[in-house]
Amino acid sequence: EDRTLNRSPHEIRASFAAAMSAMYKEEVPAYGTLVEIVEDVNERLLAQGSDTLALTPGEDTARISAERHGAIRLGTPQELAMMARVFAVMGMEPVGYYDLSVASVPVHSTAFRPTDRDALAANPFRVFTSLLRLELIEDETLRAKATEVLAARQIFTDDAIKLTEKAEAQGGLDGQDAKQFVAAVLETFRWHPEACVDAETFDDLIKAHRLIADVVSFKGPHINHLTPRTLDIDAAQDGMVAKGLPAKAVVEGPPRRRCPILLRQTAFKALNETIRFPSAGGGQDGQHTARFGEIEHRGAALTPKGRALYDQLLAEVRADILPAASGENADAYVAKLEAVFSAFPDDWRTLHRDGLAYFKYGLGAAPANSTEIETLLDAGALTLSPIIYEDFLPVSAAGIFQSNLGDEARSKDQTASSRDSFEAALGKPVIDEFALYEAMQKASLDTCLRQLQADAD
Ligand code: OOG
Ligand code: NI
């Protein structure tokens, strides 16, 4: 039988993202409400045709309604290694290293995502993937217990493993295998209300850290949120409040600006869910908060120089005021954020000239009169549009984690995590996100300059 490997990794990723979204709407109905709010806001803005949205015509708007990221938390290096192979079948590679120990969250993370422009345009689905740092459990007996529980579980179905191996061996999957692969992999992300530890162990794990309990106590790394992309996060946040969703008090990331940069995020808090413990008597009930919904508003990717300025300004804000989980100082926090970030240029030409953000170039209507980029831009021979940031922010991620863990998760100091040990577990190095944006910018400039040159000849 001659069956061709006719499913591209991008098609498999798109089916997987759609299947995940459908599953999560069923598991967490409030997420469905969130998607509706975001779609309303996006439709309204796109209809207005605002040119302040930092979008490239034909590219970034087309994918808005399908755009999502999700997050999972893994327990062992072996789980991370296998997950990397599964994601690779869908064209998702680990980009960036996020050290969350700085925020007292006992994990380190990467984002699995498509890396080039065409792949991102085809389907931008990303999964923020964390690996638990078991060494941060102080109590030795509890650490041994957690290690033993994790070692005993298998988070991948036999089919998921078999089809991943098959995809690797033959360089892809045909339509029927791809369909089976998506269904099999989805099982790993499904929620299971049956805990695989007893109530007493669960309580001990919760006391050590709520996140540790979430990772260790269940059969698999349930998807803990999915995040649609909105074009106006403040409007979407108001929409959440209006619909009675328990919204997080402040939006993480930079303040509202004319020229959006990086990533702004907010969430509704995790739902309280009933879980069942295994016991001789047929199981008792417990409570767990794990799964929530999030929205994001993406702006321009920053260069290392721009990112350093962002980090410096944010640190200045946070040295003065930290947003309280209760929301009581939210207004003061936002006022401070806006005041401090007035030092960050807020028009595209300045962001470009100062080398703070990455851009795609296009050809304007005017003829070329120079080889100087700034002169060509002034003359209208070249045009600019920002390259959208596709990654995450460690301080914001910590804020998202913490909004679902409660304030008690903040206090303890933790030793710095290690990128080397993370990459060893992953089985490959993480890709440098700056290099990806730099390459996109350079490719678009080269194309334009070649075209201008050809026109001049
Ligand atoms: C991941 C939180 C980080 C984001 O958007 O920054 C994240 C988690 O809670 O597991 O998803
Ligand atoms: Ni997220």
Side-chain angles (χ1 to χ4, degrees):
E1 190 187 5
D2 179 33
R3 301 197 305 174
T4 47
L5 309 178
N6 56 1
R7 283 296 176 273
S8 76
H10 312 319
E11 286 175 280
I12 303 176
R13 179 173 68 256
S15 331
F16 181 70
M20 183 92 101
S21 192
M23 179 176 84
Y24 205 59
K25 268 183 199 164
E26 237 170 62
E27 290 184 345
V28 181
Y31 164 70
T33 309
L34 191 61
V35 168
E36 282 167 20
I37 294 167
V38 165
E39 282 173 353
D40 280 356
V41 168
N42 291 355
E43 260 170 46
R44 199 154 30 81
L45 278 164
L46 288 170
Q48 282 169 13
S50 166
D51 54 17
T52 61
L53 297 175
L55 297 170
T56 304
E59 181 179 329
D60 290 309
T61 47
R63 67 185 223 196
I64 295 285
S65 64
E67 179 153 356
R68 304 277 188 278
H69 83 252
I72 51 168
R73 304 153 180 175
L74 300 171
T76 67
Q78 292 74 20
E79 289 175 0
L80 181 63
M82 185 63 208
M83 196 54 93
R85 293 170 57 195
V86 168
F87 282 138
V89 175
M90 299 189 267
M92 298 159 81
E93 293 298 327
V95 179
Y97 173 74
Y98 302 92
D99 177 0
L100 292 159
S101 68
V102 289
S104 303
V105 180
V107 301
H108 44 179
S109 318
T110 189
F112 286 93
R113 69 168 179 87
T115 54
D116 67 46
R117 246 181 103 166
D118 293 345
L120 283 160
N123 182 281
F125 188 59
R126 292 157 279 236
V127 180
F128 190 92
T129 303
S130 300
L131 176 62
L132 182 61
R133 298 175 61 213
L134 270 180
E135 74 272 18
L136 295 176
I137 302 184
E138 278 158 28
D139 182 300
E140 244 172 75
T141 319
L142 188 62
R143 193 186 327 132
K145 174 81 193 170
T147 308
E148 180 197 310
V149 171
L150 286 172
R153 77 178 186 181
Q154 170 54 277
I155 64 170
F156 300 98
T157 67
D158 289 346
D159 270 1
I161 295 170
K162 256 197 339 242
L163 288 164
T164 300
E165 285 166 353
K166 188 169 179 183
E168 289 170 345
Q170 61 184 22
L173 294 175
D174 67 25
Q176 195 185 318
D177 281 346
K179 207 168 152 191
Q180 252 187 46
F181 172 85
V182 166
V185 170
L186 198 63
E187 289 309 305
T188 299
F189 294 79
R190 192 182 291 285
W191 168 249
H192 302 280
E194 304 82 22
C196 53
V197 297
D198 58 30
E200 198 187 325
T201 307
F202 184 75
D203 285 344
D204 289 345
L205 290 168
I206 289 276
K207 275 184 216 129
H209 199 296
R210 296 182 66 88
L211 199 70
I212 299 175
D214 181 58
V215 178
V216 174
S217 308
F218 299 94
K219 223 169 106 180
H222 40 261
I223 181 87
N224 68 50
H225 66 283
L226 275 185
T227 306
R229 174 176 164 196
T230 177
L231 295 169
D232 184 343
I233 200 164
D234 300 299
Q237 169 93 344
D238 291 348
M240 276 208 280
V241 174
K243 292 248 165 134
L245 294 180
K248 194 174 166 306
V250 300
V251 173
E252 300 286 344
R256 186 178 185 88
R257 297 160 43 89
R258 259 196 318 273
C259 302
I261 51 169
L262 297 174
L263 179 61
R264 300 181 68 211
Q265 293 161 283
T266 180
F268 68 78
K269 289 180 195 153
L271 315 172
N272 214 357
E273 297 179 279
T274 300
I275 59 173
R276 287 188 297 278
F277 298 108
S279 81
Q284 340 102 266
D285 286 348
Q287 298 291 316
H288 186 53
T289 51
R291 300 180 309 146
F292 58 100
E294 184 195 32
I295 50 180
E296 62 181 18
H297 182 163
R298 291 187 173 268
L302 299 184
T303 62
K305 182 182 172 196
R307 179 55 187 270
L309 179 58
Y310 172 80
D311 287 341
Q312 178 206 320
L313 296 178
L314 189 64
E316 194 180 312
V317 172
R318 295 175 66 90
D320 187 66
I321 178 170
L322 284 175
S326 66
E328 63 194 12
N329 64 357
D331 291 345
Y333 176 78
V334 171
K336 180 75 187 179
L337 190 70
E338 284 175 352
V340 170
F341 270 81
S342 61
F344 208 115
D346 198 10
D347 68 277
W348 296 126
R349 283 298 301 277
T350 308
L351 290 165
H352 175 265
R353 198 193 49 234
D354 292 356
L356 294 167
Y358 291 110
F359 291 88
K360 283 174 286 208
Y361 299 89
L363 293 175
N369 50 355
S370 162
T371 53
E372 268 297 306
I373 295 172
E374 289 299 323
T375 313
L376 291 168
L377 287 167
D378 287 341
L382 270 187
T383 61
L384 276 184
S385 62
I387 294 178
I388 296 293
Y389 189 58
E390 305 289 348
D391 294 288
F392 295 88
L393 296 167
V395 173
S396 299
I400 298 285
F401 271 107
Q402 270 154 351
S403 69
N404 288 295
L405 296 169
D407 265 349
E408 82 267 29
R410 274 182 193 215
S411 45
K412 258 198 265 155
D413 264 352
Q414 281 163 0
T415 53
S417 61
S418 144
R419 178 179 181 140
D420 288 349
S421 73
F422 187 84
E423 291 182 333
L426 195 59
K428 50 186 166 187
V430 299
I431 298 169
D432 172 18
E433 66 269 34
F434 293 109
L436 294 176
Y437 298 121
E438 180 82 46
M440 283 184 191
Q441 173 169 283
K442 185 172 183 311
S444 91
L445 183 60
D446 288 351
T447 306
C448 287
L449 292 181
R450 255 198 315 274
Q451 190 58 48
L452 288 177
Q453 185 59 48
D455 292 349
D457 288 346

